Amino acid sequence: MELPTKKYPVTRADLVRYAGASGDFNPIHWNERFATKVGLPGVIAHGMLTMALVGRAVTEWAGAPDAVLDFSVRFSRPVPVPDDESGTEIEVSAQVKSTTDEGHTVLAITAVCGGEKVLSQARATVRTSRLGK
Amino acid sequence: MLPGLTARWQQIGNARLRHTGHTSLYARQMPLDPSFVGRSYPPTPAYLVGREKIREFAKAIGATDAAYHDPDAARALGYADVIAPPTFPTVVSFASNNAVVDDPDLAIDYSRVVHGDQRFQYTRPIVAGDELVGRQTIEEIISRGGHDFITTRTDITDSTGASVAIAWSKLVVRGEG
């Protein structure tokens, strides 16, 4: 079963807000000068912000804020965020992969930015009484 | 090819390496010592989870579910106060992981570190009012293709000592060259 794709815009302002909320103040996520100096294309999103947005999609699909039992990702590619009003966009989709012995659902998740997969091996196990409804 | 890392990340790592050079006191030539597997660190000071901190985190990721914002909505689900979104444990595990990254015996050169993987396993959601402690353990060290892969585990417990969540972070420490 394919779950409905979700699109999340990410702007520089979102990165600043996430830095404060999470406590991750690494300057590659807010300082263009620093990011460029260390060889990045520019300021990039926190990997953990991408994971948080995927978590948001998963709880929305599951229909419950407390449905997630296990959640894992591999950060395969950075998410550059341009310094303009629209920033960038992360597109999250998932397929139901399997059901565990306990009756929980395992989702195989894809996160794409600018046509490239930014996560690999992203999985979530959720309690699924309301999945997709 | 470095597993799990694209060519783009490798370029970035190389550029970062050129920029930061050997500024670390602990720059090293040898791979990370696998005998550190199993090493654990003292618990972090208790982190008191505030209702406004959960709201701030939820707002920062655009999570609008009422249980993250409204104590009554969370109570209707059986929780004492607002609950946190799934990646909120990073607030505790990120700080807890510094014990490993800053361990002078292990001597990780942080200028070479890239976040590789992240996993959370939940016993229950984090609830405002929780006093959380993180205990850090090194679970795996692998050297492959000139790079080190170190997996740390953070056991997050509440004030009764009961497990709330476990977080695993795999850090990639890029080799020289």
Side-chain angles (χ1 to χ4, degrees):
Chain A
M1 180 169 80
E2 188 89 31
L3 294 162
T5 298
K6 295 186 180 284
K7 293 179 180 180
Y8 300 112
V10 178
T11 65
R12 290 285 178 91
D14 294 322
L15 302 189
V16 172
R17 201 173 288 125
Y18 183 78
S22 68
D24 181 349
F25 292 101
N26 189 329
I28 62 173
H29 305 305
W30 53 268
N31 183 329
E32 184 84 18
R33 184 169 39 84
F34 184 89
T36 316
K37 217 160 39 172
V38 299
L40 292 164
V43 162
I44 61 167
H46 305 74
M48 290 304 296
L49 173 57
T50 300
M51 189 177 187
L53 294 173
V54 171
R56 195 178 136 190
V58 169
T59 52
E60 287 171 13
W61 285 320
D66 57 351
V68 187
L69 303 169
D70 200 300
F71 185 20
S72 58
V73 304
R74 169 164 294 174
F75 303 106
S76 53
R77 197 176 280 270
V79 175
V81 181
D83 184 14
D84 58 29
E85 294 308 310
S86 53
T88 191
E89 188 176 69
I90 296 174
E91 198 176 294
V92 186
S93 57
Q95 284 193 317
V96 172
K97 187 178 161 63
S98 58
T99 305
T100 66
D101 293 343
E102 297 83 14
H104 304 311
T105 298
V106 181
L107 302 179
I109 301 155
T110 305
V112 172
C113 180
E116 310 256 30
K117 286 185 184 182
V118 294
L119 299 178
S120 61
Q121 299 180 25
R123 297 272 182 280
T125 305
V126 295
R127 266 190 288 266
T128 58
S129 45
R130 288 190 283 163
L131 185 73
K133 288 180 189 162
Chain B
M1 181 66 188
L2 184 57
L5 291 185
T6 63
R8 182 64 205 142
W9 265 125
Q10 294 189 48
Q11 276 173 24
I12 290 164
N14 286 332
R16 191 180 288 175
L17 192 58
R18 278 197 298 280
H19 169 66
T20 52
H22 290 264
T23 51
S24 165
L25 287 174
Y26 308 123
R28 66 193 168 78
Q29 304 295 321
M30 299 296 289
L32 287 182
D33 180 354
S35 73
F36 280 84
V37 172
R39 174 175 281 217
S40 55
Y41 295 83
T44 57
Y47 179 95
L48 174 58
V49 179
R51 184 188 288 166
E52 297 302 341
K53 187 68 193 179
I54 288 180
R55 285 173 170 161
E56 179 193 5
F57 190 91
K59 199 174 167 196
I61 66 169
T64 54
D65 194 291
Y68 304 141
H69 300 277
D70 176 4
D72 288 335
R75 282 182 201 117
L77 296 175
Y79 300 103
D81 205 322
V82 297
I83 63 171
T87 61
F88 187 84
T90 189
V91 172
V92 175
S93 62
F94 188 80
S96 184
N97 210 22
N98 286 337
V100 178
V101 170
D102 297 338
D103 182 341
D105 297 333
L106 188 61
I108 290 177
D109 181 352
Y110 196 66
S111 68
R112 300 169 187 274
V113 167
V114 174
H115 195 176
D117 299 39
Q118 183 67 39
R119 177 182 174 202
F120 298 104
Q121 190 181 77
Y122 309 91
T123 307
R124 64 167 175 84
I126 289 173
V127 182
D130 277 340
E131 287 192 52
L132 301 176
V133 167
R135 287 181 180 75
Q136 206 69 14
T137 310
I138 297 176
E139 208 165 82
E140 185 182 67
I141 294 177
I142 299 173
S143 296
R144 196 168 46 214
H147 309 288
D148 293 327
F149 301 80
I150 178 166
T151 303
T152 64
R153 168 182 166 137
T154 313
D155 284 277
I156 300 173
T157 52
D158 64 20
S159 58
T160 70
S163 174
V164 175
I166 305 171
W168 288 268
S169 299
K170 182 178 277 186
L171 303 180
V172 183
V173 189
R174 297 181 40 78
E176 316 239 346

